């Protein structure tokens, strides 16, 4: 007999696993390349891709960039972790060859009170460069 949602509510083991899997996934959580491998494994074990959102995100990544947006708590970070893991796991092989997924926490971008388009472009360019350098440089050394 299949379990219902009501069965899971009273399952202490299930609740503990869910709490562990999602405990660090807050809005200010930094998604490092290595620290979240265990977390990704836990999320993969629990993820149910009902509307094919994960599959679609991964397949669209081969032809375009994208932005994931939505209300707080709707699973953006969860989806991003799983998609990034799948894409980067195959970035040197198969049909995903040459595609690499990067997470940038734009909350870390700070701007002066008064700025124009030119200043924004400069500040954002430096932010982007520093963020990508911090991701790509360690990869270069590991290849």
């Amino acid at each position: 007999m299949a379990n219902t949602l009501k069965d899971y509510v009273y399952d202490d083991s299930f609740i503990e696993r869910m709490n562990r899997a999602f405990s660090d996934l807050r809005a200010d959580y930094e998604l490092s390349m290595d620290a979240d491998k265990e977390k990704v494994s836990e999320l993969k074990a629990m993820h149910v891709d009902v509307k094919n959102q994960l599959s679609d995100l991964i397949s669209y990544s081969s032809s375009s960039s994208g932005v994931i947006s939505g209300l707080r708590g709707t699973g953006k970070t969860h989806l991003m972790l799983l998609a990034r893991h799948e894409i980067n796991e195959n970035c040197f092989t198969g049909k995903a060859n040459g595609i690499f997924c990067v997470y940038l926490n734009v909350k870390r971008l700070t701007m002066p009170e008064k700025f124009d388009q030119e200043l924004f472009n400069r500040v954002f360019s430096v932010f982007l460069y520093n963020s990508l350098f911090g991701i790509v440089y360690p990869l270069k050394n590991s290849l």
Side-chain angles (χ1 to χ4, degrees):
M1 182 174 181
N3 289 339
T4 63
L5 182 58
K6 187 177 180 180
D7 296 326
Y8 290 113
V9 170
Y10 298 110
D11 183 346
D12 290 336
S13 173
F14 175 77
I15 291 171
E16 174 59 31
R17 288 190 315 238
M18 289 295 286
N19 284 338
R20 201 169 355 106
F22 293 103
S23 64
D24 290 330
L25 298 180
R26 303 178 310 272
D28 59 345
Y29 183 64
E30 289 292 329
L31 300 177
S32 69
M33 291 300 286
D34 298 317
D36 60 289
K37 287 183 180 176
E38 181 181 325
K39 200 64 60 189
V40 169
S41 297
E42 291 175 21
L43 289 174
K44 280 174 78 172
M46 288 184 220
H47 182 75
V48 179
D49 198 8
V50 177
K51 295 182 180 180
N52 294 325
Q53 292 171 323
L54 179 60
S55 309
D56 290 347
L57 183 61
I58 293 168
S59 65
Y60 296 152
S61 71
S62 63
S63 59
S64 70
S65 314
V67 174
I68 300 174
S69 64
L71 297 173
R72 184 180 179 134
T74 56
K76 300 175 298 296
T77 304
H78 174 121
L79 193 60
M80 179 61 190
L81 274 171
L82 293 175
R84 184 188 68 180
H85 176 76
E86 184 71 27
I87 292 165
N88 291 350
E89 204 170 57
N90 299 310
C91 72
F92 298 115
T93 61
K95 65 180 182 179
N97 190 13
I99 299 168
F100 187 73
C101 181
V102 175
Y103 172 85
L104 296 176
N105 186 351
V106 183
K107 279 187 164 189
R108 293 176 44 223
L109 174 64
T110 55
M111 296 294 297
E113 249 183 72
K114 295 181 180 182
F115 62 92
D116 58 10
Q117 186 66 47
E118 183 181 347
L119 183 58
F120 173 81
N121 290 345
R122 288 181 182 191
V123 170
F124 187 74
S125 295
V126 170
F127 170 78
L128 191 59
Y129 175 81
N130 288 338
S131 298
L132 292 176
F133 185 79
I135 293 167
V136 174
Y137 188 74
L139 286 175
K140 178 184 167 222
N141 293 334
S142 68
L143 294 177

